[in-house]
Amino acid sequence: MNQIDRNNKLSLFCTHEILDKAVTDDASDIHFEYSPNFNRLRFRINGILVDYTDWLRDQMFSRDIDQDNEKSFFELIGIHIIDMMDTMGLISVYSSVSSHGRIRLNLKPEEYPDFSVSVSKTIMGHYIELRTTHGNDIDFDYLSLDKAKKNLLLQNLANPSGLILFSGPVGSGKSVLYNASMNIINVPESSVKQIGGLDIFQKDGIQQTCINPAKNDQLIEIIDSVFSQDADVLAVDDIYNNHVAKKIIDATDTGHLVLAQMFAT
């Protein structure tokens, strides 16, 4: 095996180790950046970004990747992540400056979550963000909610109509709580329709529609279509603007239970 093939194989192995480490350390997000002069790996754990660059360097050096090859090794890892997103048969979208999609590891599909991926081109290189999800297996015990808050949320999820808004800054846990709530309402007695971006996480039993975040009119059109369908619950992964917010309120007025996420500081 020549040096190029060896580096390619080892960098792919390290790519899988990064994803495995993120799951093991219960990270919600992975931040990976590489450029000619700067490389860094960070995990968001409990809302805080933690630097894992030295950990990754230890993995490299333990496999006889010397420091002079660090730049090319980081670049290979970034390429592997992008290639995995391209070849998993899952939806992705590209622009001249960024790409979005998701990947799924086949090594241990019963243990690994999906990873949503966002790749941005910077003036010096690439910035890759991956978000992990435990998808179908999130429960309220995992969230460590206190009893009063748990009971309040469960009471509202049992209502036939109304709005439950999951709001907060990045790393606050709103997406985890939103997905856990989706699992609660995903029962045979309810028809649930979910609208999300290109990184939507698949859930059996829920009618999921994927939209391009660059086309906000798609979301309005799909919400309108729900009014003419026999849906009990509408879940919207993100409120993009005031028009979407108004449509969501209209849905509650027509007897739907609506779950929605909104970024806020």
Side-chain angles (χ1 to χ4, degrees):
M1 181 183 298
N2 60 41
Q3 189 63 37
I4 294 178
D5 290 340
R6 180 177 181 275
N7 286 350
N8 189 63
K9 182 177 180 179
L10 289 177
S11 59
L12 178 59
F13 185 81
C14 280
T15 303
H16 287 183
E17 283 199 327
I18 291 172
L19 302 180
D20 182 73
K21 184 68 172 174
V23 174
T24 301
D25 289 7
D26 205 19
S28 62
D29 300 85
I30 304 169
H31 291 245
F32 183 80
E33 51 192 307
Y34 62 95
S35 68
N37 300 314
F38 184 75
N39 302 301
R40 183 164 62 181
L41 171 68
R42 292 177 293 172
F43 292 168
R44 187 176 295 280
I45 301 174
N46 295 326
I48 300 173
L49 278 175
V50 181
D51 199 315
Y52 272 70
T53 310
D54 287 340
W55 169 84
L56 180 55
R57 289 193 176 110
D58 288 342
Q59 309 308 305
M60 294 164 46
F61 299 153
S62 67
R63 293 171 176 84
D64 297 326
I65 301 297
D66 58 55
Q67 194 168 1
D68 293 337
N69 289 323
E70 178 181 315
K71 180 182 72 173
S72 61
F73 201 78
F74 268 75
E75 183 177 0
L76 282 172
I77 292 174
I79 291 172
H80 286 313
I81 294 173
I82 296 172
D83 285 346
M84 290 167 69
M85 182 178 67
D86 291 346
T87 59
M88 297 302 281
L90 300 172
I91 202 160
S92 60
V93 64
Y94 291 86
S95 71
S96 59
V97 295
S98 65
S99 59
H100 306 270
R102 77 172 181 270
I103 60 177
R104 177 178 298 163
L105 286 180
N106 290 326
L107 297 178
K108 302 176 183 177
E110 72 284 355
E111 299 178 18
Y112 282 88
D114 285 354
F115 296 85
S116 68
V117 187
S118 175
V119 183
S120 302
K121 294 181 181 178
T122 68
I123 59 173
M124 293 299 294
H126 288 76
Y127 198 106
I128 302 176
E129 296 181 42
L130 300 95
R131 169 156 290 187
T132 65
T133 177
H134 293 273
N136 293 318
D137 62 354
I138 297 177
D139 57 30
F140 285 96
D141 292 332
Y142 170 82
L143 299 174
S144 300
L145 285 177
D146 64 54
K147 187 175 181 180
K149 291 179 180 178
K150 176 182 177 181
N151 290 337
L152 179 62
L153 180 55
L154 289 174
Q155 289 172 11
N156 282 278
L157 289 171
N159 288 334
S161 63
L163 171 64
I164 303 176
L165 185 63
F166 301 84
S167 179
V170 171
S172 63
K174 62 182 180 297
S175 296
V176 177
L177 186 57
Y178 172 78
N179 277 286
S181 299
M182 292 282 288
N183 292 334
I184 293 293
I185 61 173
N186 185 16
V187 294
E189 296 79 18
S190 293
S191 174
V192 183
K193 189 172 185 67
Q194 180 184 8
I195 307 169
L198 296 169
D199 56 356
I200 193 170
F201 299 109
Q202 295 174 324
K203 290 181 179 290
D204 296 334
I206 295 179
Q207 308 160 48
Q208 296 178 299
T209 302
C210 184
I211 64 169
N212 187 333
K215 298 181 179 180
N216 289 333
D217 56 327
Q218 283 186 343
L219 182 53
I220 299 295
E221 181 181 345
I222 295 171
I223 293 176
D224 282 336
S225 72
V226 173
F227 297 154
S228 62
Q229 299 173 0
D230 187 25
D232 300 301
V233 181
L234 170 65
V236 179
D237 283 8
D238 196 6
I239 299 177
Y240 294 108
N241 52 41
N242 291 336
H243 299 294
V244 175
K246 185 179 183 305
K247 284 294 180 182
I248 287 175
I249 294 173
D250 290 342
T252 64
D253 290 339
T254 57
H256 293 86
L257 176 63
V258 179
L259 280 64
Q261 289 191 92
M262 182 176 69
F263 174 81
T265 57

